[in-house]
């Protein structure tokens, strides 16, 4: 080995880059395991950034001519300088990175390349938001190469994430993913090695994001990489507990001549620290329960202790999403009369015509009318029509929380999923309150004595009906290959975040956005405020790429990017789920099924903001110019809730709902007073290169406020030097 080390040292004196590369290769080889998974983990990855302007010093690829479907020049070039050429378009002088060749090329024919070891300065640019409940934290969608996005999220979420769910490319050999800007097909002899290197880099970052004390990583996979992934997970997460579930996703099966039909995929569940499964009403293998009922099997009677049974959860009857204002739907604006004496329900009035003043309605004697009003007095709608509410009320499935002092109340109801569970016996009614409303809890059969199995066979997990068909209702005529069943993702997440109503989840292979949608459904089921960060690139499918290239389009052109997954599928799908309307503005047809059934057109009381990851320039960094680029990162770190500080005002400080920023330390006194007055502030960012001044501002801060220091050249705080890889 020492001979090899000497030779490398000699090469380094002549060609430092080649020498360092050889050294890195050597290091990896010498660290290889004798047993376990060996693969080329040192292959460098790089990503093309078609929307990033070309600048001096950049690494670039030369694109093939427009209308060509060829590969272009895949060698890496460095931009020496750019200038305006003869036809007034800009040209770039290039030198080959691994050689002496030089050439001059129109800037339009270049695309910037970021190697994963390059230092980059990430920022986030907002590309829109959907607000349906101003008070809730925002979900976020980030259009980005996930490796860089994960590194960026380390600044905002290191060690804070409760759950990561990923459904990575399965490496089918059918051009379902790219490594180094190139599709990996079945002929590529390095395809498994590339896939493992690709996955390992991202899993290592995921590990840093997860809360080591209590969190879960969920990874789906099929037979093609299942075994290799299992080994990789064991090597990467040796401290965690790893389980594998086999789940039927298409009972009719993919028939393959001479082989077993594929009906299933696998779900690796990696738990950290104290994370355990919260039991739920299903054991995930319903046929097993049938056998049990027939007396052919017995329950495990050795279970230590029984957890307390889950109580019935009631939901507020007033619709909260802004689109549900009075007049937006017929028959859902009516009075509910309540006895003044004790707040019990007296009767339910008839729906009002849109033009009738509600104050003209006379309440029966000794009653007061409750209306679906927001705290600011805006007239909204009830969540049920009067007939359905009357029926539910008669069965004890509606009730009023009465405030005798203020002589007003809040109406609650049980969602159809809960009513169904009461009827099927998986929720036992144990009694009734004074007002007749039911009391009960999940039965021991459903929630205590049937822990989930490791083989799942749930009709709701069918990929076609629960995935593709739901997607086509939300965003008609837009196709996306193999979205997960919404209910399958909802179910697996529930096992880990059911008891964490403020959990943060991340999906960094978000595709069509199923995970964010599932998180919103979970929130609706228990009034939670969970957040989901979805990361996906804006890749155009391989088939479509050919068509677009023949039309003369290239990545980076608007006409190309609009067909990308993030812009064409992910963002519109999440927007449609929240608003209840398709991209064309039509109410979504159909109802959600299974656990919580309601019309998809109702949408969700949730908020989301869309971002694109940007690659900022070092010279702007040096001049403190890019506060705007990092502003969303500060907001994300403070919980992505309430208003955002997008620019630093002339006063030199600003206080938002959840966080505050101090740039001019001479204004510290005013700033600290304002922070003390703002009860919601949890983090303050203090911009200074001076340790002593930083400490002086920190000491008077209230205990619940976390001080975070930022260097004066803002972007330096977020520098990603992937060389440390
Ligand atoms: C198998 S799909 C996930 C589908 C998703 N679970 C759903 O239900 O829609 C994987 C997604 O990851 C995205 N992807 C692949 N490589 C990526 C990368 N390096 N960075 C960001 N996204 C990537 C692809 O665009 C694809 O949409």
């Amino acid at each position: 080995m020492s001979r090899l080390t000497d030779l490398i040292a000699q090469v380094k004196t002549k060609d430092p880059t080649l020498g360092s590369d050889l050294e890195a290769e050597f290091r990896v080889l010498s660290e290889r395991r004798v047993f376990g998974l060996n693969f080329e983990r040192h292959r460098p990855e790089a990503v093309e950034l078609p929307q990033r302007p070309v600048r001096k010093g950049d690494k670039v690829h030369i694109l093939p001519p427009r209308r060509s479907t060829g590969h272009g020049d895949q060698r890496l070039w460095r931009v020496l300088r750019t200038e305006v050429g003869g036809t007034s378009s800009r040209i770039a002088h290039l030198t080959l990175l691994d050689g002496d060749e030089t050439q001059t090329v129109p800037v339009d024919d270049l695309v910037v390349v970021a190697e994963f070891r390059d230092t980059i300065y990430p920022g986030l640019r907002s590309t829109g938001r959907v607000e349906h409940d101003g008070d809730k934290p925002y979900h976020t969608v980030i259009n980005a190469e996930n490796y860089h996005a994960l590194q960026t999220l380390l600044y905002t979420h290191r060690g804070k994430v409760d759950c990561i769910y990923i459904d990575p490319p399965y490496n089918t050999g059918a051009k379902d993913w790219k490594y180094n800007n190139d599709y990996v097909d079945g002929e590529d002899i390095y395809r498994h090695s590339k896939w493992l290197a690709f996955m390992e880099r991202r899993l290592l970052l995921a590990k840093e994001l997860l809360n080591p004390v209590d969190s879960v990583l969920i990874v789906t996979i099929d037979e093609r990489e299942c075994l290799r992934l299992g080994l990789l997970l064991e090597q990467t997460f040796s401290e965690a507990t790893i389980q594998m579930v086999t789940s039927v996703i298409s009972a009719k099966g993919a028939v393959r001549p001479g082989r077993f039909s594929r009906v299933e995929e696998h779900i690796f569940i990696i738990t950290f620290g104290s994370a355990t499964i919260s039991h739920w009403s299903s054991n995930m293998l319903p046929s097993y329960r049938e056998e049990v009922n027939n007396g052919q099997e017995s329950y495990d009677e050795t279970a230590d202790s029984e957890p307390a049974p889950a109580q019935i959860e009631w939901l507020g009857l007033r619709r909260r999403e802004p689109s549900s204002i009075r007049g937006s739907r017929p028959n859902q604006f009516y009075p509910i009369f309540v006895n003044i004496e004790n707040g019990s329900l007296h009767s339910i009035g008839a729906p009002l015509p849109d033009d009738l003043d509600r104050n003209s309605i006379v309440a029966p004697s000794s009653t007061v009318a409750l209306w679906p009003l927001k705290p600011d007095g805006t007239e909204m709608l009830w969540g049920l029509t009067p007939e359905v509410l009357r029926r539910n009320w008669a069965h004890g499935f509606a009730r009023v929380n009465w405030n005798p002092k203020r002589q007003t109340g809040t109406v609650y109801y049980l969602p159809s999923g809960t009513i169904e569970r009461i009827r099927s016996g998986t929720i036992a009614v144990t009694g009734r309150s004074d007002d007749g409303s039911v009391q009960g809890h999940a039965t021991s059969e459903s929630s205590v004595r049937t822990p989930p199995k490791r083989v799942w066979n749930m009709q709701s997990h069918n990929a076609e009906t629960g995935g593709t068909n739901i997607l086509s209702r939300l965003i008609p005529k837009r196709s996306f290959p193999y979205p997960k069943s919404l209910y399958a993702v909802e179910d697996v997440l529930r096992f880990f975040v059911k008891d964490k109503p403020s959990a943060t989840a991340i999906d960094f292979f978000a595709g069509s956005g199923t995970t964010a949608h599932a998180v919103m459904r979970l929130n609706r089921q228990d009034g939670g405020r969970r957040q989901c960060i979805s990361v996906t690139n804006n890749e155009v499918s391989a088939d479509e790429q050919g068509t677009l290239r023949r039309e003369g389009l290239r990545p980076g052109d608007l006409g190309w990017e609009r067909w990308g997954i993030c812009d064409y599928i992910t963002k519109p799908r999440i927007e449609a789920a929240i608003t209840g309307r398709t991209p064309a503005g039509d109410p979504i047809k159909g109802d959600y099924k299974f656990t919580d059934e309601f019309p998809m057109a109702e949408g969700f009381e949730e908020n989301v903001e869309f971002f694109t990851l940007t690659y900022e320039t070092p010279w702007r960094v040096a001049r403190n110019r890019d506060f705007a680029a990092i502003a969303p990162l500060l907001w994300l770190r403070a919980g992505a809730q309430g208003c955002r500080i997008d620019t630093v005002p002339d006063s030199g400080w600003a206080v938002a709902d959840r966080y505050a920023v101090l740039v001019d330390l001479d204004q510290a006194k005013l700033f600290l007073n304002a922070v003390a007055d703002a009860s919601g502030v949890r983090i303050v960012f203090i911009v200074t290169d001076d340790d002593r001044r930083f400490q002086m501002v920190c000491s008077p801060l209230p205990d619940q406020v976390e001080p975070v220091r930022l260097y004066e050249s803002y972007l330096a705080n977020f520098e990603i030097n992937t060389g440390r890889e």
Side-chain angles (χ1 to χ4, degrees), residues 440-517:
H441 58 69
T443 60
S444 58
E445 188 204 11
S446 67
S447 68
V448 178
R449 307 189 89 184
T450 53
K453 309 286 177 236
R454 297 197 334 181
V455 175
W456 295 0
N457 187 8
M458 304 288 282
Q459 188 201 338
S460 57
H461 292 195
N462 182 282
E464 192 177 339
T465 51
T468 309
N469 294 358
I470 287 194
L471 196 61
S472 67
R473 285 179 190 274
L474 292 152
I475 48 171
K477 302 207 176 84
R478 300 190 185 196
S479 69
F480 176 83
Y482 310 117
K484 284 273 168 285
S485 157
L486 174 62
Y487 309 109
V489 182
E490 178 183 323
D491 284 351
V492 71
L493 294 181
R494 186 185 291 104
F495 285 122
F496 297 96
V497 299
K498 179 171 169 292
D499 299 327
K500 293 182 178 172
S502 303
T504 299
I506 294 184
D507 182 344
F508 57 88
F509 286 106
S512 70
T514 312
T515 308
H517 197 164

Side-chain angles (χ1 to χ4, degrees), residues 98-113:
D98 290 333
D100 301 330
E101 216 177 308
T102 57
Q103 62 171 315
T104 306
V105 176
V107 166
D108 275 355
D109 289 342
L110 301 177
V111 60
V112 177
V113 176

Side-chain angles (χ1 to χ4, degrees), residues 3 224 341 348:
R3 170 88 182 118
R224 282 163 281 212
E341 184 76 355
I348 293 164

Side-chain angles (χ1 to χ4, degrees), residues 169-437:
Y170 284 0
N171 204 13
T172 60
K175 296 193 169 183
D176 63 338
W177 69 294
K178 276 187 172 179
Y179 187 84
N180 270 346
N181 309 304
D182 215 355
Y183 283 111
V184 179
D185 62 27
E187 303 303 307
D188 188 333
I189 52 167
Y190 290 110
R191 68 183 245 238
H192 299 299
S193 172
K194 286 179 178 174
W195 190 84
L196 287 164
F198 172 87
M199 289 300 292
E200 186 187 45
R201 285 190 185 109
R202 290 153 179 86
L203 289 173
L204 286 169
L205 293 170
K207 184 175 175 173
E208 289 187 56
L209 286 170
L210 286 163
N211 177 354
V213 174
D214 177 6
S215 63
V216 64
L217 166 67
I218 301 163
V219 190
T220 61
I221 198 69
D222 76 1
E223 59 182 351
R224 282 163 281 212
E225 292 294 356
C226 179
L227 300 177
R228 275 173 286 265
L229 176 64
L231 275 177
L232 177 65
L233 293 171
E234 288 209 330
Q235 283 180 194
T236 314
F237 303 108
S238 51
E239 74 285 21
T241 305
I242 302 181
Q243 304 178 67
M244 192 188 81
V245 162
T246 297
S247 176
V248 176
I249 57 159
S250 169
K252 70 175 186 243
V255 179
R256 292 155 322 156
R259 297 164 67 189
F260 297 112
S261 301
R262 177 151 32 91
V263 296
E264 87 295 358
E265 61 179 23
H266 309 283
I267 309 171
F268 279 105
I269 292 173
I270 304 101
T271 45
F272 299 87
S274 61
T276 49
I277 291 171
S278 308
H279 288 180
W280 183 54
S281 58
S282 172
N283 69 14
M284 311 305 280
L285 189 61
S287 57
Y288 174 78
R289 197 158 57 204
E290 280 157 27
E291 284 177 7
V292 168
N293 291 343
N294 292 339
Q296 294 173 17
E297 292 273 358
S298 61
Y299 287 116
D300 177 9
E301 297 291 350
T302 59
D304 292 347
S305 62
E306 294 188 352
Q311 300 299 312
I312 292 182
E313 281 155 357
W314 296 84
L315 299 182
L317 185 64
R318 172 171 63 81
R319 303 273 292 260
R320 298 171 69 105
E321 67 278 21
S323 59
S324 287
I325 49 170
R326 179 180 177 185
S328 60
R329 215 166 297 191
N331 298 335
Q332 281 173 246
F333 188 80
Y334 52 87
I336 298 175
F337 299 111
V338 172
N339 289 309
I340 294 177
E341 184 76 355
N342 56 8
S344 60
L345 266 170
H346 173 278
S347 55
I348 293 164
L352 262 62
D354 289 345
D355 53 359
L356 187 62
D357 182 353
R358 71 170 195 276
N359 295 314
S360 65
I361 301 299
V362 181
S365 91
S366 307
T367 73
V368 61
L370 299 182
W371 299 93
L373 304 181
K374 286 213 306 199
D376 66 4
T378 311
E379 295 183 328
M380 306 294 286
L381 298 177
W382 294 121
L384 300 173
T385 57
E387 301 76 58
V388 179
L389 181 61
R390 267 186 214 111
R391 215 168 43 229
N392 286 3
W393 177 28
H395 289 100
F397 300 154
R399 67 173 165 81
V400 176
N401 265 15
W402 180 243
N403 182 332
K405 247 198 206 153
R406 296 182 49 216
Q407 301 249 307
T408 184
T410 310
V411 188
Y412 288 89
Y413 77 109
L414 291 181
S416 53
T418 308
I419 296 175
E420 191 49 49
R421 289 177 61 201
I422 290 176
R423 294 203 166 116
S424 68
T426 59
I427 288 181
V429 173
T430 52
R432 289 187 182 259
S433 305
D434 290 344
D435 61 3
S437 62

Side-chain angles (χ1 to χ4, degrees), residues 416-701:
S416 53
T418 308
I419 296 175
E420 191 49 49
R421 289 177 61 201
I422 290 176
R423 294 203 166 116
S424 68
T426 59
I427 288 181
V429 173
T430 52
R432 289 187 182 259
S433 305
D434 290 344
D435 61 3
S437 62
V438 294
Q439 294 172 336
H441 58 69
T443 60
S444 58
E445 188 204 11
S446 67
S447 68
V448 178
R449 307 189 89 184
T450 53
K453 309 286 177 236
R454 297 197 334 181
V455 175
W456 295 0
N457 187 8
M458 304 288 282
Q459 188 201 338
S460 57
H461 292 195
N462 182 282
E464 192 177 339
T465 51
T468 309
N469 294 358
I470 287 194
L471 196 61
S472 67
R473 285 179 190 274
L474 292 152
I475 48 171
K477 302 207 176 84
R478 300 190 185 196
S479 69
F480 176 83
Y482 310 117
K484 284 273 168 285
S485 157
L486 174 62
Y487 309 109
V489 182
E490 178 183 323
D491 284 351
V492 71
L493 294 181
R494 186 185 291 104
F495 285 122
F496 297 96
V497 299
K498 179 171 169 292
D499 299 327
K500 293 182 178 172
S502 303
T504 299
I506 294 184
D507 182 344
F508 57 88
F509 286 106
S512 70
T514 312
T515 308
H517 197 164
V519 168
M520 296 193 282
R521 273 188 50 86
L522 290 174
N523 280 347
R524 185 183 142 118
Q525 285 158 30
D526 61 6
R529 298 166 69 81
R530 300 171 188 88
Q531 284 174 287
C532 182
I533 300 174
S534 311
V535 179
T536 194
N537 56 18
N538 201 36
E539 204 166 304
V540 171
S541 71
D543 288 348
E544 242 161 331
Q545 286 196 15
T547 316
L548 294 176
R549 283 192 197 283
R550 281 187 285 279
E551 286 170 14
L553 290 164
R554 280 173 173 165
D557 295 341
L558 284 181
W560 177 291
E561 296 296 326
R562 63 186 283 251
W563 302 110
I565 284 169
C566 191
D567 283 346
Y568 193 60
I569 305 286
T570 327
K571 290 175 3 183
R573 184 254 177 94
I574 294 175
E575 177 161 357
I578 293 179
T579 59
R581 297 195 168 256
T582 66
D586 301 322
I588 296 169
K589 297 194 183 99
D591 293 347
Y592 290 109
K593 301 273 184 235
F594 308 103
T595 308
D596 187 14
E597 300 183 5
F598 62 97
M600 292 192 194
E602 278 192 13
F604 293 93
E605 291 162 19
E606 300 279 350
N607 307 312
V608 64
E609 181 147 6
F610 305 125
F611 294 99
T612 296
L613 188 85
T614 57
Y615 295 80
E616 304 298 325
T617 61
W619 70 264
R620 282 178 73 88
V621 176
R623 286 168 182 73
N624 299 344
R625 292 279 293 278
D626 263 339
F627 183 82
I630 57 121
L633 293 171
L634 307 189
W635 177 74
L636 269 182
R637 181 158 172 171
Q641 198 179 337
C643 58
R644 185 162 64 232
I645 301 165
D646 278 319
T647 50
V648 181
D650 292 341
S651 60
W653 58 273
V655 177
D657 299 323
R658 308 282 296 181
Y659 70 108
V661 179
L662 173 65
V663 174
D664 181 353
L665 270 73
D666 292 339
Q667 307 301 321
K669 200 160 170 225
L670 283 175
F671 173 77
L672 288 168
N673 288 342
V675 169
D677 288 348
S679 57
V681 169
R682 291 287 170 273
I683 296 193
V684 297
F685 296 95
I686 301 161
V687 182
T688 179
D689 290 347
D690 183 331
D691 279 345
R692 199 182 48 87
R693 296 193 83 190
F694 174 68
Q695 293 304 338
M696 275 168 57
V697 179
C698 290
S699 49
L701 282 171

